[in-house]
Amino acid sequence: MYTSTLRALIDELGRLPGVGPKSAQRMAFHLLRVPTEDALRLSDAIVAVKERTSFCTRCFNVAEGGGLCPICADDRRDPSLTCVVEDPRDIVAVERTGQFKGRYHVLQGALNPLEGVGPEQLRVKELLQRVEEEGTKEVILCTNPNLEGEATAMYLAKLLAPLNVRVTRLASGLPVGGDLEYADELTLGRALEGRRELDR
Ligand SMILES: [Zn+2]
């Protein structure tokens, strides 16, 4: 039905999250129709993000040029507060609340034994090392309010307990089973404000 090049584009677009075959087809024909330079801006942006994006050497947030992310590079941020999240997208969610002035630590996932994700697959070792080396006073466990996120928070709380650091978890009030990413900033801001200390 399609030429092989068009077929390849539709297939690739269809692999993107949330894009069904119909949308993939619509996007492909759109790209076919727009001026070449408009379409190439998209391909250039993809190439640039793949070539120039790295992970922050301190917190594993998205960074550029192999160094620190913009948050770690900002010396107005409070180094004694560390907010632990699963994914760089969660940083965006917490930043939107405008209530957090500390630094982050991105685990790059959550514990999920069924999918083979154990502590070794996450940036757990690096977190413990940071707490010891950076003189962290409080670690806020901002993992998602779902099964994996809760299990991860409990696991980290145990590991952090012997260290000289306050360990807190977001207050309840966030939709259970949900993703931090989708929480509105008011709810997330309140959960952050009402964070509670975890039992040792
Ligand atoms: Zn960073």
Side-chain angles (χ1 to χ4, degrees):
M1 231 161 36
Y2 303 114
T3 60
S4 60
T5 44
L6 191 53
R7 178 79 261 162
L9 179 59
I10 295 171
D11 286 348
E12 288 309 319
L13 291 168
R15 270 191 249 275
L16 297 173
V19 179
K22 274 259 162 60
S23 309
Q25 186 182 310
R26 199 171 334 121
M27 287 181 203
F29 276 97
H30 170 80
L31 289 168
L32 199 59
R33 216 168 36 234
V34 298
T36 304
E37 65 259 37
D38 289 359
L40 289 186
R41 263 205 310 278
L42 174 64
S43 67
D44 288 350
I46 296 172
V47 171
V49 91
K50 293 309 289 180
E51 282 180 349
R52 293 211 292 269
T53 305
S54 54
F55 289 108
C56 175
T57 48
R58 181 189 283 149
C59 77
F60 304 99
N61 184 17
V62 179
E64 212 162 272
L68 293 175
C69 73
I71 293 173
C72 284
D74 182 350
D75 45 348
R76 285 167 304 180
R77 309 286 304 212
D78 183 355
S80 70
L81 272 177
T82 302
C83 180
V84 177
V85 295
E86 295 178 20
D87 193 279
R89 286 170 301 175
D90 300 327
I91 293 185
V92 179
V94 176
E95 285 297 294
R96 268 203 309 258
T97 69
Q99 290 197 14
F100 183 69
K101 298 288 171 245
R103 287 181 185 159
Y104 293 91
H105 186 84
V106 182
L107 293 169
Q108 298 188 323
L111 292 177
N112 192 338
L114 290 179
E115 287 184 17
V117 184
E120 313 76 45
Q121 277 74 43
L122 305 175
R123 301 292 184 172
V124 172
K125 224 175 41 244
E126 290 86 346
L127 172 66
L128 298 178
Q129 200 177 339
R130 284 187 63 190
V131 169
E132 304 227 51
E133 285 172 6
E134 292 176 25
T136 313
K137 291 200 179 76
E138 181 181 352
V139 172
I140 309 169
L141 300 170
C142 282
T143 49
N144 284 328
N146 57 26
L147 221 61
E148 292 79 19
E150 290 297 344
T152 308
M154 290 307 120
Y155 175 79
L156 293 177
K158 266 210 189 82
L159 283 183
L160 291 163
L163 305 180
N164 186 24
V165 67
R166 185 174 178 227
V167 182
T168 55
R169 175 84 175 121
L170 292 175
S172 47
L174 291 166
V176 173
D179 255 352
L180 224 57
E181 214 197 321
Y182 301 120
D184 68 281
E185 54 252 50
L186 206 70
T187 312
L188 185 53
R190 274 197 206 121
L192 203 58
E193 213 172 16
R195 64 186 185 265
R196 59 194 159 76
E197 196 142 356
L198 287 174
D199 300 331
R200 300 208 165 203

